[in-house]
Amino acid sequence: MTIRSVVAGTGSALPKRRVDNEELARQVDTSDEWIVTRSGIRSRYIAGEGETTASLATEAARRALEDAGIQTSEIDLIVLATATPDQTFPSSATKVQAALGIDDCVAFDVHAVCTGFLYAVSVADAMIRAGTGRTALVIGAETFSRILDWEDRATCVLFGDGAGALVLRAEEGDRGILATRLHADGRHNDLLFVDGGPSTTGTVGKVRMKGREVFRHAVVNLADVLGEVLSDANMTSEDIDWLVPHQANARILDATAKKLGLPPEKVVVTVDKHANTSAASVPLALDTAVKDGRIKRGDIIVLEAMGGGFTWGAAVLRY
Ligand code: UT7
C-alpha cells in the first residue's frame, strides 16, 4: 500500500479586531465601493498588541491538534509558512514548538510569501513520505498589517492578518495528498516585494506592489499550474469537489474558476471576510469550509496560490 499524508485535522485563528471597509475609509483615501468592486474584500482582521504571527499560529495549531485528536507529543515536524516572522530569527516554527510544549521535533519556517502554504504542504508531504516523521503540523500564519504602508491606499486596503493549520499524518490508503506542483520565477521580484530587509536596509520595510501586472501573471500562472497538478493526479476539473484558492482578489478567483470550467459554488471564498492573508489564506479558507460542513471526508480538494517572487503552486488531495 502507498503511504500518503492525510489531513487529520484543521484549525485557524484570527486577531480580535475586525476592520471593515467603512472604518478603513475614515483613515485612508478610499471607499467601500472601490475596495469591493476591485477586490471583493469587505473586511479584514488586524493584529493588536500581543498578537503576533507565532501567537496566531499557535492558536491555529492547537485547534488543528484538537480537531485531529492528536497529542503534542505525537508531532514529529512543524513547517510554518510566513513572510512576517516574529523575529528575523529564530524561526516562528520554533516559537510555536515552545508554546505547544514540544521538547524535540523538526521545526522550520518556509518563505514563499502568498504561495508559502503550498510550499509548506509540499515539503511536509515529501518528508512524511520519506519517513522523516509520521505526523506534521503545517501552518500558514501572517501579520501583514505590520509591513503595510498605511499611506499607500493601493496596497493597505488589500491585506489582513490570520493563521491556519493542518495536521498531516502518514496513513496507508487512497486518502491524502495525491499531487503537488511548485514554481518560482525570480525575474518578476520587482512587481511584488518589501522594500527593506536585514541584509540591505537593516529595516523591516513595507509592501510594494504593481497590482495590475501581478493580476495578469496570476491568472495565467494559476491556470497553468492547475492543469499540471490535475494531470499529475490523473484527474480533470470534473473530478474537483472543492477549489480552495489563495484569497487575493475575488476577480482572480472568478477568472480561475472560469478557466477551469468550475461552477462558482465549488470555489471556497473567504476574501470578503479575511482579505489577503498571504500564506495564511489557503489554510484559513480550508478550515472555514471544513468547519461549516461543506468539505466532507473523501472529497477531492484542489489548493492553489500565487505570490511574490513570483512563486506559485497547487496541490490535489482526497480529504
Ligand atoms: O497575494 C499576492 C497576489 N496579489 C494579487 O493577486 C493582487 C493582484 N492585483 C489586484 O488584485 C488588483 O490589481 C488591485 C485590486 C490591486 C487593483 O485593481 P486594479 O483594477 O488593477 O486598479 P489599479 O491599480 O489599476 O488602480 C485603478 C485606480 C487608480 O486611479 P487612476 O490612476 O485610474 O486615477 C488608483 O489610483 O484606482 C486608484 N486606487 C484607489 N482608489 C480608491 C488604487 N487604490 C485605491 C483605493 N481606493 N484603495
Side-chain angles (χ1 to χ4, degrees), residues 29-31 34-35 38-39 114 153-154 157-159 192 209 211-212 214-215 218 246 248-249 251-252 276 306-308:
D29 179 18
T30 188
S31 66
W34 190 94
I35 302 171
R38 301 292 173 133
S39 70
C114 298
R153 66 177 183 171
V157 303
L158 301 172
F159 294 91
L192 176 51
M209 177 166 75
R212 195 157 275 202
V214 176
F215 192 109
H246 171 50
N249 183 314
R251 290 186 291 143
I252 298 180
N276 182 347
M306 148 94 191

Side-chain angles (χ1 to χ4, degrees), residues 110-126:
V110 301
H111 185 350
V113 208
C114 298
T115 319
F117 190 73
L118 269 300
Y119 271 71
V121 162
S122 185
V123 168
D125 173 47

Side-chain angles (χ1 to χ4, degrees), residues 6 67 80 86 103 111 135 148 172 175 272:
V6 172
D67 189 41
L80 190 154
D86 283 25
D103 293 342
H111 185 350
T135 308
L148 292 174
E172 287 183 350
R175 283 202 301 135
D272 54 333

Side-chain angles (χ1 to χ4, degrees), residues 81-166:
T82 190
T84 49
D86 283 25
Q87 292 154 264
T88 304
F89 77 83
S91 70
S92 294
T94 60
K95 298 194 90 172
V96 172
Q97 181 200 23
L100 292 175
I102 301 172
D103 293 342
D104 188 19
C105 72
V106 177
F108 59 95
D109 289 0
V110 301
H111 185 350
V113 208
C114 298
T115 319
F117 190 73
L118 269 300
Y119 271 71
V121 162
S122 185
V123 168
D125 173 47
M127 290 177 80
I128 286 173
R129 285 185 294 107
T132 310
R134 287 188 54 78
T135 308
L137 258 174
V138 187
I139 307 168
E142 303 277 16
T143 43
F144 248 59
S145 64
R146 306 245 157 93
I147 56 164
L148 292 174
D149 175 354
W150 290 96
E151 309 273 294
D152 177 14
R153 66 177 183 171
T155 53
C156 73
V157 303
L158 301 172
F159 294 91
D161 303 334
L166 299 184

